[in-house]
């Protein structure tokens, strides 16, 4: 599965070189545990990095953007498939009752042929975005699918389970028990999907930065990311 995606990536990269885009990236990926707001970090980061591009020595006006649902929309277009079917492969993209989440995932996830086609297309779309550069990719195994790109920073947002459960309770009508079940199942769902893409369990070595979201403000996380990007001369 992942070999097919990497093969597709190589072809896209070759085409990009023919069109004059020699170096892929820069790209940032953000993985998160359920209850950690990657979108808030990505939104702030995209605005700040766009500002840096305006002030750079090259004076190149480049807009950084963060993408999430756009990946699924692009995949739907390429597959000429109902967007809802694509979203169904990524259960957390839909607002679903807790019982549907828990019934859809147990100890493993079995993907059918249509699912495999969706996953492969989504993977190719992610690689294409990563090659194009100046993208912040939220979720969907971006840390795996962007490996091999030099100007890449892979970020992980984590927090203690109890903290995340309480946060889900604050933004939903779920009880403590239901919120805990929901968080655990969504985490498991995401882990199983990325393991399916990678062909192995993902571990800390797949990320460049891991933040405890419960102890840091969004602005502090963004500042730390920008500092690392500067030090690594990605920006």
């Amino acid at each position: 599965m992942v070999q097919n995606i990497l093969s597709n990536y190589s072809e896209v990269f070759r085409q990009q070189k023919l069109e004059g885009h020699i170096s892929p990236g820069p790209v940032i990926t953000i993985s998160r545990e359920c209850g950690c707001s990657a979108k808030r970090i990505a939104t702030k980061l995209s605005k700040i990095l766009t500002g840096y591009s305006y002030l750079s020595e090259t004076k190149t006006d480049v807009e950084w953007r963060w993408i999430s649902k756009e990946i699924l929309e692009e995949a739907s277009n390429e597959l000429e498939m109902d967007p809802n079917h694509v979203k169904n492969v990524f259960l957390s993209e839909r607002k679903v009752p807790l019982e549907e989440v828990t019934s859809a995932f147990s100890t493993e996830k079995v993907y059918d042929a249509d699912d495999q086609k969706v996953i492969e297309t989504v993977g190719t779309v992610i690689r294409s975005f990563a090659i194009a550069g100046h993208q912040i990719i939220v979720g969907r195994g971006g840390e795996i699918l962007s490996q091999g790109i030099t100007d890449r920073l892979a970020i992980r947002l984590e927090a203690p389970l109890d903290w995340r459960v309480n946060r889900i309770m604050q933004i939903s009508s779920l009880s403590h028990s239901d919120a805990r079940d929901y968080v655990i199942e969504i985490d498991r769902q995401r882990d199983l999907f990325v393991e399916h893409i990678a062909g192995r369990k993902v571990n800390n070595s797949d990320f460049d930065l891991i933040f405890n979201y419960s102890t840091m403000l969004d602005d502090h996380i963004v500042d730390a990311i920008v500092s690392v990007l500067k030090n690594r001369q990605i920006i």
Side-chain angles (χ1 to χ4, degrees):
M1 166 57 210
V2 73
Q3 292 303 320
N4 290 337
I5 291 177
L6 293 176
S7 176
N8 289 338
Y9 160 69
S10 298
E11 175 57 28
V12 173
F13 186 23
R14 185 189 68 81
Q15 187 61 38
Q16 290 278 344
K17 290 178 71 176
L18 291 175
E19 294 173 358
H21 303 290
I22 303 302
S23 299
V27 61
I28 298 168
T29 68
I30 304 179
S31 170
R32 77 287 192 208
E33 291 184 320
C34 182
C36 299
S37 184
K39 293 182 179 180
R40 292 205 323 228
I41 299 296
T43 300
K44 289 174 179 284
L45 196 57
S46 63
K47 293 178 180 178
I48 290 174
L49 295 181
T50 295
Y52 269 100
S53 72
Y54 292 139
L55 298 173
S56 66
E57 292 181 0
T58 61
K59 305 300 181 187
T60 302
D61 294 347
V62 177
E63 180 180 1
W64 280 77
R65 64 171 185 157
W66 72 272
I67 55 175
S68 180
K69 64 180 181 180
E70 292 84 357
I71 295 169
L72 302 187
E73 292 170 355
E74 180 69 21
S76 299
N77 291 336
E78 290 196 18
L79 290 165
E80 297 182 350
M81 184 178 288
D82 182 352
N84 288 327
H85 178 80
V86 176
K87 289 181 180 180
N88 286 345
V89 179
F90 302 85
L91 187 61
S92 63
E93 285 297 316
R94 298 182 294 135
K95 300 298 183 182
V96 295
L98 177 66
E99 58 269 19
E100 185 173 343
V101 175
T102 55
S103 65
F105 293 91
S106 53
T107 57
E108 63 179 341
K109 168 65 175 173
V110 178
Y111 296 98
D112 62 23
D114 281 346
D115 291 345
Q116 294 286 3
K117 188 174 182 180
V118 168
I119 292 168
E120 183 168 347
T121 302
V122 166
T124 302
V125 168
I126 290 174
R127 298 293 294 205
S128 297
F129 278 127
I131 290 168
H134 302 96
Q135 310 285 343
I136 302 168
I137 300 172
V138 175
R140 265 166 286 284
E143 70 277 5
I144 298 297
L145 293 166
S146 63
Q147 286 182 352
I149 295 178
T150 302
D151 289 343
R152 181 203 74 150
L153 192 68
I155 297 159
R156 173 76 169 167
L157 304 177
E158 299 181 349
L161 176 60
D162 286 344
W163 185 92
R164 293 185 289 121
V165 169
N166 288 332
R167 189 165 189 272
I168 292 298
M169 290 175 62
Q170 292 172 5
I171 62 177
S172 71
S173 59
L174 294 177
S175 67
H176 183 276
S177 176
D178 284 349
R180 190 176 189 279
D181 288 344
Y182 180 83
V183 167
I184 290 173
E185 289 300 330
I186 291 297
D187 280 347
R188 187 183 330 190
Q189 169 206 338
R190 290 172 176 169
D191 289 345
L192 287 171
F193 174 75
V194 177
E195 287 174 21
H196 182 76
I197 290 289
R200 60 176 174 79
K201 288 187 177 294
V202 176
N203 54 56
N204 288 350
S205 65
D206 290 303
F207 303 98
D208 301 298
L209 294 173
I210 300 176
F211 293 100
N212 183 342
Y213 195 77
S214 70
T215 62
M216 298 187 69
L217 298 175
D218 288 354
D219 287 344
H220 295 166
I221 293 175
V222 171
D223 287 347
I225 293 170
V226 171
S227 178
V228 171
L229 290 170
K230 286 181 179 178
N231 288 335
R232 291 180 59 174
Q233 298 183 331
I234 294 176
I235 60 172

